[in-house]
Amino acid sequence: NIRRRFEQILEEVRNTRKDLLLNRTRMEEARPLRAKPQETRTREEAERLAVLETAALTSVDRGTSGVRKNHNETQSIEEEFRDVRDELANNAIPDVRPILERIDTGIVGPLHEVNTVDFDNCDDLLVKLREALEQQEDPLPPFEAAADELGAVIAKLEKVLAQMLKNEDYNKVLEMLRTVIRGQEDLKKQTEVERKKRLIEGLK
């Protein structure tokens, strides 16, 4: 379930980057129109430019909202993996140390870096991109900077996903953990039955 959610996050970040690149291309095509003095533009040119600039702003707002949503979701994934890692460490699973190290270095560590550094960088760059569009500055450099930073995030998330998929031993250990937890739950239920039985016998 965690992996499926993570794959969805990754796909959404990819789509955000594609959307920005598409609108970056459109703004590059609009460069000649933006370079013309406002009073020399035809009505059609002015309307066309307004459509392109509005679409670019909408793309940036959509991207900012998506990045913030994905940031929150990725923080949740990191916390869930930390919880799973702690469960593995605390339940005396045999031969678990190498798997704990792979979780730390291949999943939790990279996710923590993305959550504490990379998503914040993306957010800042998208804010600067919006300011450039609003102030009629050249938006191409901030478009490229935001797309590059999202590309770096995607590369890191893809490595984490590869680590999740690669960990066959991790899946085996999770099944062992489930068995331990089921055993604990069965023992708890059995203890409760015995307690109730003794209470009933004490009332006779």
Side-chain angles (χ1 to χ4, degrees):
N1 286 337
I2 295 175
R3 194 190 77 236
R4 282 197 294 270
R5 284 167 50 213
F6 188 75
E7 288 171 336
Q8 180 64 32
I9 293 168
L10 177 55
E11 187 60 25
E12 288 175 6
V13 177
R14 287 177 180 145
N15 288 336
T16 295
R17 184 171 184 270
K18 288 177 186 175
D19 191 31
L20 286 177
L21 289 172
L22 174 62
N23 280 276
R24 181 238 179 256
T25 300
R26 289 173 176 168
M27 290 306 296
E28 186 172 20
E29 293 170 355
R31 246 181 172 172
L33 288 178
R34 300 184 94 221
K36 290 181 71 172
Q38 191 168 348
E39 62 274 10
T40 65
R41 296 171 192 159
T42 66
R43 181 178 176 181
E44 290 76 13
E45 288 174 336
E47 290 176 352
R48 172 64 177 159
L49 185 56
V51 167
L52 292 171
E53 289 178 340
T54 300
L57 282 168
T58 301
S59 171
V60 173
D61 288 344
R62 186 165 54 238
T64 302
S65 176
V67 162
R68 290 173 182 173
K69 169 180 171 286
N70 295 145
H71 189 180
N72 289 333
E73 292 169 340
T74 307
Q75 286 175 320
S76 175
I77 297 284
E78 179 190 341
E79 287 303 315
E80 289 183 55
F81 260 100
R82 287 186 187 276
D83 291 343
V84 169
R85 184 221 179 275
D86 291 343
E87 286 284 352
L88 292 173
N90 295 332
N91 278 280
I93 304 295
D95 302 322
V96 76
R97 183 170 296 279
I99 294 165
L100 294 178
E101 290 175 357
R102 289 203 295 275
I103 292 173
D104 287 338
T105 60
I107 298 176
V108 173
L111 285 181
H112 187 67
E113 183 178 357
V114 168
N115 283 324
T116 57
V117 178
D118 299 307
F119 270 127
D120 288 338
N121 289 343
C122 288
D123 198 297
D124 291 343
L125 289 167
L126 287 167
V127 169
K128 290 177 182 176
L129 171 55
R130 195 182 208 291
E131 290 173 353
L133 287 165
E134 288 177 331
Q135 296 169 13
Q136 294 294 305
E137 297 172 356
D138 183 3
L140 297 187
F143 256 119
E144 290 165 4
D148 287 347
E149 189 64 29
L150 282 167
V153 169
I154 290 166
K156 290 180 181 180
L157 296 182
E158 286 174 341
K159 285 183 180 179
V160 171
L161 178 59
Q163 191 67 35
M164 291 181 189
L165 295 170
K166 187 171 69 176
N167 267 334
E168 293 181 10
D169 290 342
Y170 169 68
N171 293 329
K172 292 176 184 176
V173 170
L174 278 182
E175 187 53 45
M176 292 172 67
L177 176 60
R178 291 189 190 102
T179 301
V180 169
I181 292 173
R182 279 197 296 268
Q184 291 172 344
E185 290 173 348
D186 290 344
L187 180 61
K188 185 177 178 181
K189 288 177 183 176
Q190 185 177 349
T191 302
E192 184 65 18
V193 169
E194 291 294 330
R195 187 183 71 82
K196 289 180 179 178
K197 184 178 178 182
R198 287 196 299 272
L199 285 173
I200 292 169
E201 289 176 350
L203 293 172
K204 290 179 180 179

